[in-house]
Amino acid sequence: MSTTRKSKTTSQGGHREHARDRDGAYAHRLRKMRDNGLKPPITVGEEAQDEGTSRNVIDCGWGRLLFAQGFNSPAELLDCLREEHDDQRDIAVYVRDPQVLLGQAPGEVFLDPSHTYRLQLSTFRASRHHPKGFFIRRLTSIDDADAINRLYAARGMVKIEPEFFWEQRDARSISYFVAEDKETGEIIGTATAIDHAKAVDDPENGSSLWCLAVDPQARHSGVGRSLVGHLAEYFTTRGRAYMDLSVLHDNEEAIALYEKLGFERVPFFAVKRKNTINEKLFVGPTTDDELNPYAAIIVKEARLRGIHVELSDPERGYFTLIHGARSIRCRESLSELTSAVALSLCDDKGAARRVAEAAGVSVPAQMNADAPALELERFIAEHGKVVIKPTSGEQGRGVSVGLTSLDEVTSATKEARAVSSQVIMEECIDGTDLRLVIINHQLVAAAVRQPPEVVGNGRDTIRHLIASQSRRRASATGGESCIPFDAETKRTIASQGYSLDDVLPQAESLRVRRTANLHTGGTIHDVTDIVHPKLVEDAIRLTRAIDIPVAGIDFMIKASDQPHYWFIEANERPGLANHEPHPTAERFIDLLFPLTAARSARPSL
């Protein structure tokens, strides 16, 4: 009897405890919704006014942040949004009633399809793992500002006048941080910090992170994570309560990173103006999703000029451009203006070499890989290292570099025959790959291409490092670039005394392929402003000899500002998207539809 009574009492106590837990959780959710659902009004403090802030607005260079809780009415906020400058992007943040604002001007503004995430700095704990191979610091020079703009351009973000960065270097409300590669000194990442307390006298003592951008070609992993963590530590030492950020709703990779770092989604909204910069955010899904980046950049430029586009095979990059009575069919940057003969010359590396030699272009020694073994051995002995490549093919498929023995040549020749029945052997020239994009016999862009390499962390195998690097490269190039685990990769790694399953020591760099093709993981670095005139002149001479209107001419060089080179190949379908922000697509459309060329003089976005 007593046992039953005791069990009943225990059960009742358990129910009461469960009810208290449930009520407590419910109260917590209500309190959280109340705290995060509405922002208290703010007024402009003296410090913010001293730094040029007015009406709870802060100029970020790419546009203005409008703190909506500081405006008396939606109409007042809307009037401020209408003051947006051309080629900039203003953002109204913490909008209380976005439906009211949109209802007053549905043709002018739209609700940004982004989520707001918040990190409570009182519970933030700095990571015990410090960056490896790079460090994070404040912006210190105009060169830093130029580097930040290069990152913005690579990510399709609005660039900022370098002078603006420099003028704000000592501001207390806005700070710019960069990640610098310890070995090369290159800027590989950036983030902007906004101190709400200093900017607009925020009573909630908040802060936010903006413009996080990482070089898509960075050798190191964790750059973005380290920048976010650094800003969190920075604001913690300043005594801020939280750090907010905004991320597009479908950016699953970034959202996963933020949630891993402790960010939680909060119900705040942002409103933007309908302008050309924001167009892709409010026009809805396009029909161009299947286009690769090389076709998409041309289609976008054509549509901006009012040229009609018909997609015939978007997956393979085929489309037709129509303007008035003129119709031109293209496959990415290859159009009907390129003759079948010019296409054949570019496709046949042996034929292209002969044309280049006849035009006075420097060419390396070459012979047929089907020659007798004795002749092959003599060629290898004469040049020390050789290259095996299929006469027909692209994107570096079937190319083996740095071979030093007949056995290696025989094996590489078999691999190359999987791409083309004819294979050539060429002397191996040490140097750097240079791609010159020539359109209408004029230089539009020049870039050196570096073979892919990984940096060790003392924990992961080379195989794991390559896989991680490939994921980053694929993400940055729309799936166009990754490092294959083929014989060339294994051979390159073995030549340096490693295998795929070895652990690479901390901070040690390892080149994993000898070729620098983008499609096999290579990286691209712009040299348009410094390329030597001799290289440009001879590349243009070659395009005239081939009689091709659009080409990517590849030279092997010692340095981009020196005149010495050797011709490698001519590509009839260069990837124009690889050279942004240079106007490659604009010059291509100028060539196809010259009557629309005047429109291409509009300010660059």
Side-chain angles (χ1 to χ4, degrees):
M1 191 73 170
S2 60
T3 305
T4 305
R5 189 180 303 113
K6 183 177 180 181
S7 299
K8 185 175 180 180
T9 303
T10 304
S11 176
Q12 290 174 346
H15 284 306
R16 284 195 295 271
E17 289 179 6
H18 177 72
R20 282 197 298 270
D21 292 343
R22 182 186 60 203
D23 293 342
Y26 181 66
H28 173 73
R29 286 196 298 271
L30 286 177
R31 185 167 56 254
K32 185 174 181 181
M33 290 174 64
R34 183 171 59 250
D35 293 343
N36 292 337
L38 292 176
K39 302 285 286 185
I42 57 176
T43 56
V44 180
E46 293 181 1
E47 289 183 346
Q49 290 175 341
D50 291 342
E51 295 187 7
T53 304
S54 64
R55 294 200 304 170
N56 306 302
V57 176
I58 180 169
D59 187 359
C60 299
W62 42 260
R64 301 171 303 160
L65 280 180
L66 284 59
F67 289 79
Q69 68 270 36
F71 290 81
N72 295 321
S73 67
E76 183 182 340
L77 177 58
L78 188 60
D79 286 340
C80 190
L81 275 170
R82 287 174 175 144
E83 297 171 3
E84 180 183 71
H85 292 172
D86 292 339
D87 300 333
Q88 291 202 337
R89 178 191 58 175
D90 290 350
I91 307 175
V93 294
Y94 305 119
V95 179
R96 281 181 176 236
D97 301 307
Q99 73 279 12
V100 176
L101 192 64
L102 268 61
Q104 293 191 8
E108 295 182 67
V109 296
F110 68 99
L111 188 63
D112 181 36
S114 296
H115 296 321
T116 302
Y117 276 81
R118 169 168 293 182
L119 179 66
Q120 296 291 350
L121 297 178
S122 61
T123 59
F124 171 74
R125 296 294 178 268
S127 172
R128 292 175 296 177
H129 300 291
H130 297 289
K132 305 296 184 182
F134 64 94
F135 60 92
I136 297 171
R137 59 172 175 79
R138 297 280 290 269
L139 175 144
T140 59
S141 68
I142 288 292
D143 288 341
D144 286 348
D146 291 334
I148 291 175
N149 270 332
R150 284 194 293 272
L151 292 179
Y152 286 175
R155 289 301 192 181
M157 299 163 65
V158 180
K159 295 197 292 183
I160 302 177
E161 289 295 331
E163 291 74 16
F164 180 88
F165 284 113
W166 193 240
E167 291 168 359
Q168 299 293 323
R169 68 189 184 280
D170 295 325
R172 288 170 292 177
S173 60
I174 181 169
S175 304
Y176 302 97
F177 291 86
V178 296
E180 179 180 328
D181 189 304
K182 289 181 179 179
E183 182 179 338
T184 65
E186 293 181 348
I187 302 302
I188 57 176
T190 180
T192 302
I194 304 292
D195 189 328
H196 299 180
K198 297 293 185 182
V200 294
D201 203 17
D202 178 18
E204 288 192 314
N205 198 27
S207 62
S208 56
L209 178 158
W210 297 88
C211 298
L212 177 65
V214 177
D215 188 343
Q217 302 182 147
R219 301 180 304 151
H220 307 283
S221 60
V223 178
R225 180 173 61 250
S226 295
L227 281 164
V228 175
H230 186 88
L231 262 63
E233 293 182 49
Y234 169 75
F235 283 129
T236 299
T237 58
R238 280 194 165 197
R240 299 298 165 251
Y242 61 81
M243 181 173 72
D244 287 349
L245 58 82
S246 180
V247 58
L248 277 174
H249 69 97
D250 57 356
N251 192 346
E252 297 178 358
E253 186 176 355
I255 289 174
L257 168 63
Y258 298 141
E259 291 180 341
K260 185 177 181 180
L261 291 173
F263 284 81
E264 294 182 348
R265 185 177 164 186
V266 288
F268 297 139
F269 304 99
V271 171
K272 299 177 181 177
R273 287 196 72 222
K274 292 183 176 179
N275 57 29
T276 53
I277 298 174
N278 295 324
E279 186 176 14
K280 62 182 180 181
L281 299 178
F282 64 83
V283 297
T286 68
T287 58
D288 303 340
D289 294 340
E290 296 181 38
L291 290 173
N292 64 35
Y294 310 116
I297 188 176
I298 298 170
V299 167
K300 177 182 177 182
E301 176 63 25
R303 285 180 170 149
L304 285 174
R305 301 196 195 187
I307 298 171
H308 179 64
V309 179
E310 290 184 356
L311 303 179
S312 51
D313 189 350
E315 187 175 352
R316 292 176 175 80
Y318 287 97
F319 54 88
T320 301
L321 303 180
I322 304 170
H323 189 257
R326 186 174 176 85
S327 172
I328 300 179
R329 194 174 187 183
C330 306
R331 184 187 182 193
E332 300 168 5
S333 62
L334 176 64
S335 75
E336 294 175 353
L337 301 189
T338 297
S339 69
V341 173
L343 176 63
S344 298
L345 286 172
C346 291
D347 188 56
D348 188 333
K349 293 177 174 60
R353 178 189 179 281
R354 288 188 288 272
V355 171
E357 189 174 19
V361 174
S362 301
V363 296
Q366 189 182 91
M367 70 176 296
N368 194 314
D370 291 328
L374 188 59
E375 294 182 23
L376 296 177
E377 286 184 321
R378 188 181 299 121
F379 189 93
I380 296 170
E382 180 181 354
H383 299 289
K385 295 185 296 183
V386 298
V387 178
I388 289 293
K389 60 175 70 172
T391 58
S392 177
E394 58 184 2
Q395 301 177 352
R397 289 193 292 264
V399 178
S400 299
V401 181
L403 310 179
T404 57
S405 69
L406 183 60
D407 288 342
E408 289 182 332
V409 166
T410 302
S411 177
T413 301
K414 291 179 181 178
E415 296 172 21
R417 284 207 175 93
V419 179
S420 172
S421 58
Q422 293 185 323
V423 180
I424 56 177
M425 182 166 62
E426 202 170 73
E427 69 170 307
C428 183
I429 307 293
D430 290 328
T432 303
D433 269 347
L434 172 70
R435 163 63 62 89
L436 298 151
V437 178
I438 310 294
I439 299 178
N440 201 15
H441 307 302
Q442 295 180 337
L443 176 72
V444 181
V448 294
R449 301 183 295 175
Q450 299 287 353
E453 57 182 37
V454 295
V455 180
N457 56 20
R459 301 186 308 272
D460 297 324
T461 65
I462 295 172
R463 186 189 303 275
H464 179 86
L465 295 172
I466 291 175
S468 298
Q469 179 86 319
S470 283
R471 284 194 296 270
R472 294 198 299 274
R473 297 292 296 127
S475 175
T477 60
E480 292 295 314
S481 177
C482 64
I483 306 170
F485 288 103
D486 60 8
E488 174 64 13
T489 298
K490 295 174 183 177
R491 186 163 44 239
T492 303
I493 294 171
S495 69
Q496 300 167 82
Y498 289 103
S499 71
L500 285 172
D501 296 317
D502 289 337
V503 173
L504 194 62
Q506 172 71 43
E508 181 171 331
S509 297
L510 179 72
R511 181 166 291 185
V512 296
R513 289 185 74 84
R514 294 187 179 93
T515 55
N517 301 77
L518 175 75
H519 291 82
T520 54
T523 57
I524 297 178
H525 309 270
D526 183 71
V527 294
T528 307
D529 294 335
I530 62 173
V531 65
H532 196 280
K534 170 67 173 174
L535 307 179
V536 179
E537 291 169 6
D538 283 12
I540 293 174
R541 180 184 296 115
L542 181 55
T543 62
R544 292 189 182 279
I546 298 175
D547 193 18
I548 188 169
V550 179
I553 304 300
D554 293 344
F555 289 159
M556 186 65 70
I557 61 171
K558 296 296 184 183
S560 55
D561 57 354
Q562 295 180 12
H564 312 293
Y565 73 91
W566 291 265
F567 169 67
I568 301 302
E569 65 179 13
N571 192 312
E572 76 283 355
R573 186 163 50 97
L576 302 185
N578 296 334
H579 301 274
E580 291 186 287
H582 292 291
T584 51
E586 289 94 321
R587 297 294 83 81
F588 179 72
I589 298 297
D590 288 349
L591 171 71
L592 271 54
F593 299 94
L595 294 181
T596 69
R599 300 182 186 181
S600 68
R602 67 187 183 287
S604 173
L605 300 183

